[in-house]
Amino acid sequence: MKNYFFLICCLFSSVLFSQNVINDDSTISVVGVGTKSTFPNAAHITIAVRFVKPALRDAMNETQKTSKEVLTIIKKYVSDTTDIKVSLIYTDKEFKYDNAQKKEVFIGFESNQKIIFTLKDIKKMQDFTEEILKTKIYEIEKVAYFHTEAATCMKQAQELAVADAIETTERLARAAKLKVGKITYLKSTNSPVNAINMSVNSGNLQTYNKSMGGEGVSASGQLLNYTANVNMNTKID
C-alpha cells in the first residue's frame, strides 16, 4: 500500500513539473531597446584660479582678486546663487626641475581655488566664456554638458523600448505562426533618476593667467543619447 501511495505521489509530482516546464516554454521572451536623442541645454562649468608667486601672501591675494572678478561675472549668468560652489584656497610649495642643477628647484608658493557653477541657458555659453577669458583665470578646467529634462528623456526612451519589444514579439509570432496573448513580465533596466547624471564633457581651455580677447567658446554640438532596455515575456495562446 505504501509503495502504491509513493508511486502516485511521484506521478503527481511529474505531472506538476511537466506543467511548469510547458508554462515556462509557452512564452516569447524579447529585449526591447529605445533611444531618445537630444542636444544639451545646460552645463556644469569648473573654473580654476591658480597663481605661483615668490611670496605666499602675493599668490593668495592674486587668487582672491581673480576669484572675486570671476564670481562677479558668473552672477550675471545664474538666477540662483546656490548653483555656485567655491572651494577653499589651497596653498603649497611649487618646484620645477632644473636641467643645469639636475634637481627640483623651489620657484615659489602656489595658491589655487576652484569655482563650479551651473549654466542653465546654454545659449549664453559664448558670451560667458568671452567675458571669463578676459580675466586671469588659470583654465576652464571642465565643461560637462547635460539636459535639464533628462528624466523625461529617459521615460520617453523607456516607452520606445516597450513599443520595440511589442513589435519584435508580434513579428516573431507571425514568423512562427503563433498567436500571442497577454504580457506576463515587463522590466526596465534603466532608471529616469540615473539619467540626471548623464553628460558629455569637453576638453579644458588653459589660459595660464593671461587675459585673452576675442570670441568665447560656443556650446557643445554633441548629442546626448538616452537609451533604455526592457525585458518582456508574452504568453503564447
Side-chain angles (χ1 to χ4, degrees):
M1 183 67 180
K2 289 182 179 179
N3 291 336
Y4 181 74
F5 179 75
F6 176 76
L7 180 60
I8 291 176
C9 288
C10 289
L11 289 171
F12 184 70
S13 298
S14 298
V15 170
L16 287 177
F17 177 76
S18 298
Q19 287 178 341
N20 286 335
V21 171
I22 291 172
N23 286 338
D24 287 342
D25 289 341
S26 299
T27 60
I28 297 177
S29 300
V30 301
V31 176
V33 181
T35 299
K36 172 66 177 179
S37 298
T38 185
F39 287 104
N41 67 352
H44 297 303
I45 303 174
T46 302
I47 305 294
V49 179
R50 178 179 182 270
F51 288 92
V52 176
K53 299 287 183 180
L56 178 59
R57 181 179 294 276
D58 291 339
M60 292 184 66
N61 287 341
E62 284 287 348
T63 299
Q64 290 172 338
K65 178 184 176 182
T66 303
S67 291
K68 186 177 180 180
E69 293 175 359
V70 170
L71 286 171
T72 300
I73 294 171
I74 290 175
K75 287 175 182 178
K76 293 163 56 178
Y77 293 89
V78 298
S79 56
D80 185 358
T81 54
T82 59
D83 287 333
I84 306 172
K85 310 298 180 186
V86 183
S87 74
L88 296 174
I89 293 178
Y90 169 80
T91 60
D92 199 359
K93 292 180 180 180
E94 182 77 1
F95 293 86
K96 183 178 180 181
Y97 187 79
D98 187 287
N99 290 321
Q101 301 183 51
K102 295 184 178 180
K103 66 176 183 178
E104 295 284 333
V105 177
F106 173 74
I107 60 172
F109 292 94
E110 173 198 7
S111 172
N112 68 64
Q113 188 170 40
K114 292 185 180 181
I115 302 171
I116 303 172
F117 80 102
T118 303
L119 181 65
K120 292 184 177 179
D121 186 356
I122 205 72
K123 294 177 182 177
K124 296 180 179 179
M125 173 64 78
Q126 187 165 340
D127 291 337
F128 166 74
T129 52
E130 186 173 336
E131 281 198 72
I132 211 71
L133 290 175
K134 292 177 182 178
T135 67
K136 292 183 178 182
I137 63 167
Y138 182 75
E139 65 178 339
I140 298 176
E141 186 177 281
K142 182 179 179 181
V143 180
Y145 295 97
F146 68 100
H147 201 285
T148 53
E149 298 296 325
T152 300
C153 291
M154 183 56 76
K155 289 176 183 177
Q156 292 173 350
Q158 287 178 325
E159 292 169 2
L160 291 171
V162 172
D164 179 58
I166 292 172
E167 187 278 329
T168 301
T169 298
E170 293 175 346
R171 176 169 50 80
L172 293 176
R174 285 195 302 271
K177 294 181 172 55
L178 298 172
K179 183 180 179 181
V180 294
K182 65 178 182 179
I183 297 171
T184 59
Y185 178 81
L186 182 65
K187 180 181 179 181
S188 174
T189 58
N190 308 88
S191 171
V193 175
N194 296 333
I196 298 172
N197 299 321
M198 182 177 174
S199 63
V200 289
N201 298 328
S202 72
N204 62 357
L205 178 60
Q206 296 180 322
T207 65
Y208 302 107
N209 309 132
K210 296 178 181 178
S211 176
M212 297 174 64
E215 294 185 354
V217 180
S218 60
S220 170
Q222 290 181 273
L223 275 173
L224 289 167
N225 295 310
Y226 298 91
T227 300
N229 299 312
V230 296
N231 299 314
M232 190 177 81
N233 294 343
T234 305
K235 185 179 179 180
I236 299 174
D237 286 343

